[in-house]
């Protein structure tokens, strides 16, 4: 029975852990606090509170694993938190689990393109914001040690959608004259992609040592921000969105690109929710009351 550590058993990590457990893997989850561990105490696999930014705490872990998935999140934290969770976390986990297949979840925010062009894993990833630079440093560390990097698009799913939350709170920003593409991925599709990448690497003689193992995880169809809000307005029977005002500065700066998932799909992965509209209609909106609407 193969063993996997999910270092960051949160919104994406829990769903991914469930997939591995259902497939017969021996799963262990790590979370950042005892409160978070307590909330997951009913899971069919053990969940421990471990601060991955603490070298001594990670080094003292008694178990070994065939695979380690680092998908801990800062939940929108600042630069210092990014450095601790992503970069120091990667350093500590790689140092402790030297024989494990290693997968690091990064973000498509590392692509800073601004002209709506298509980007692939071979495109320049030169983020302008400091948090993105930290992600890139963590990516390079993982790749240098033969690991896999999964660059996740904007995450949404049951109970979670930043776009829907902003729409319902009338905090959306859009300018039809300057349409900006956004890239989204449903939580369950992300989980299935991570499951595929780990299984493929475990089954390979040279799992991730050949080439730069970077994969974009996004749906099949980028959507402009204005089209997104117009679709939500129509679906929720609200007035059309026209030139909504910008209410705050974008946390990660302005980018405008269409992220390709062709490399991942070439491995046989297909998203259950290939478009933003399908994911929202079939998965998120049926329970949109959770957002307080």
């Amino acid at each position: 029975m193969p063993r996997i550590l999910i270092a960051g058993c949160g919104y994406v990590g829990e769903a991914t852990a469930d997939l591995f457990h259902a497939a017969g893997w021996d799963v262990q989850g790590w979370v950042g606090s005892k409160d978070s561990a307590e909330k997951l105490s009913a899971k069919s696999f053990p969940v421990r509170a471990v601060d991955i930014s603490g070298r001594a705490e990670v080094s003292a872990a008694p178990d070994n694993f065939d695979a380690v998935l680092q998908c801990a999140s800062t939940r929108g934290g600042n630069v210092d938190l990014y450095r601790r969770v992503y970069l120091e976390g990667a350093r500590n986990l790689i140092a402790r689990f030297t024989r494990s297949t290693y997968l690091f979840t990064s973000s498509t925010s590392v692509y800073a393109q601004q002209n709506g062009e298509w980007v692939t894993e071979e495109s320049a990833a030169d983020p302008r914001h400091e948090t993105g630079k930290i992600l890139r440093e963590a990516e390079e560390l993982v790749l240098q040690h033969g690991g896999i990097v999964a660059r996740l698009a904007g995450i949404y799913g049951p109970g979670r959608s930043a776009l829907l939350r902003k729409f319902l709170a009338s905090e959306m920003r859009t300018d039809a004259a300057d349409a900006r593409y956004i890239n989204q991925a449903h939580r369950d599709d992300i989980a299935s992609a991570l499951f595929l990448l780990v299984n493929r690497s475990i089954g390979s003689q040279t799992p991730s040592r050949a080439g730069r193992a970077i994969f974009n995880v996004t749906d099949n169809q980028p959507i402009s921000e204005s089209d997104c809000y117009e679709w939500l307005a129509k679906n929720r029977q609200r007035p059309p969105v026209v030139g909504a005002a910008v209410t705050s500065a974008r946390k990660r700066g302005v980018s405008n690109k269409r992220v390709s998932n062709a490399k991942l799909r070439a491995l046989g992965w297909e998203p259950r929710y290939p478009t933003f509209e399908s994911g929202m209609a079939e998965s998120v909106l049926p329970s949109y009351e959770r957002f307080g609407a």
Side-chain angles (χ1 to χ4, degrees):
M1 181 184 297
R3 306 194 71 216
I4 186 168
L5 168 64
I6 309 293
C9 205
Y11 188 69
V12 169
E14 182 184 354
T16 308
D18 287 341
L19 277 185
F20 278 101
H21 183 265
W25 283 62
D26 183 353
V27 177
Q28 183 173 134
W30 285 4
V31 290
S33 70
K34 291 182 178 179
D35 286 344
S36 296
E38 179 62 28
K39 291 176 182 176
L40 295 174
S41 60
K43 302 298 292 187
S44 300
F45 50 85
V47 178
R48 299 176 52 201
V50 179
D51 178 6
I52 64 172
S53 69
R55 173 62 67 94
E57 196 167 345
V58 173
S59 298
D63 302 297
N64 287 301
F65 301 91
D66 298 284
V68 173
L69 170 57
Q70 182 185 351
C71 57
S73 171
T74 63
R75 298 182 181 180
N78 59 23
V79 171
D80 289 340
L81 191 56
Y82 261 67
R83 186 172 290 107
R84 293 201 307 273
V85 171
Y86 296 118
L87 184 55
E88 294 305 320
R91 283 199 182 110
N92 296 336
L93 290 165
I94 289 170
R96 169 61 183 85
F97 301 108
T98 57
R99 296 180 180 275
S100 302
T101 291
Y102 199 91
L103 194 157
F104 174 77
T105 57
S106 184
S107 168
T108 57
S109 68
V110 299
Y111 299 116
Q113 286 78 352
Q114 295 182 308
N115 298 313
E117 61 265 52
W118 281 96
V119 299
T120 71
E121 292 82 356
E122 302 303 317
S123 300
D126 187 18
R128 295 173 174 83
H129 48 90
E130 202 60 34
T131 53
K133 293 176 182 178
I134 292 169
L135 283 177
R136 284 291 294 120
E137 191 175 351
E139 286 185 356
E140 289 302 319
L141 175 68
V142 170
L143 293 169
Q144 288 166 12
H145 286 81
I148 307 164
V149 170
R151 290 174 175 163
L152 311 185
I155 304 167
Y156 77 102
R160 174 170 168 174
S161 170
L163 293 167
L164 178 58
R165 176 180 55 77
K166 290 177 182 178
F167 172 79
L168 295 175
S170 299
E171 294 177 353
M172 60 279 189
R173 63 181 78 229
T174 179
D175 183 352
D178 184 24
R180 185 181 80 97
Y181 283 104
I182 53 178
N183 303 272
Q184 297 276 286
H186 191 282
R187 177 201 64 187
D188 296 348
D189 289 329
I190 294 171
S192 70
L194 301 179
F195 181 80
L196 170 69
L197 290 172
V198 169
N199 271 283
R200 177 177 175 273
S201 185
I202 287 288
S204 171
Q205 293 298 317
T206 55
S208 55
R209 273 65 177 177
R212 291 170 65 83
I214 302 172
F215 297 88
N216 295 331
V217 184
T218 185
D219 67 21
N220 296 348
Q221 185 178 305
I223 183 173
S224 74
E225 202 166 19
S226 56
D227 285 347
C228 161
Y229 289 130
E230 287 175 10
W231 184 88
L232 286 172
K234 182 178 180 180
N235 189 280
R236 297 264 58 85
Q237 298 181 343
R238 292 194 176 192
V241 177
V242 180
V246 174
T247 58
S248 60
R250 294 185 190 278
K251 177 185 172 185
R252 295 176 178 171
V254 177
S255 66
N256 177 22
K257 73 268 182 175
R258 288 175 285 177
V259 180
S260 169
N261 64 10
K263 183 177 180 181
L264 183 58
R265 292 177 70 188
L267 300 182
W269 176 80
E270 286 293 337
R272 178 180 177 182
Y273 304 103
T275 66
F276 170 80
E277 294 95 330
S278 63
M280 293 298 291
E282 298 170 28
S283 174
V284 179
L285 287 178
S287 60
Y288 79 100
E289 292 84 1
R290 297 178 186 176
F291 292 87

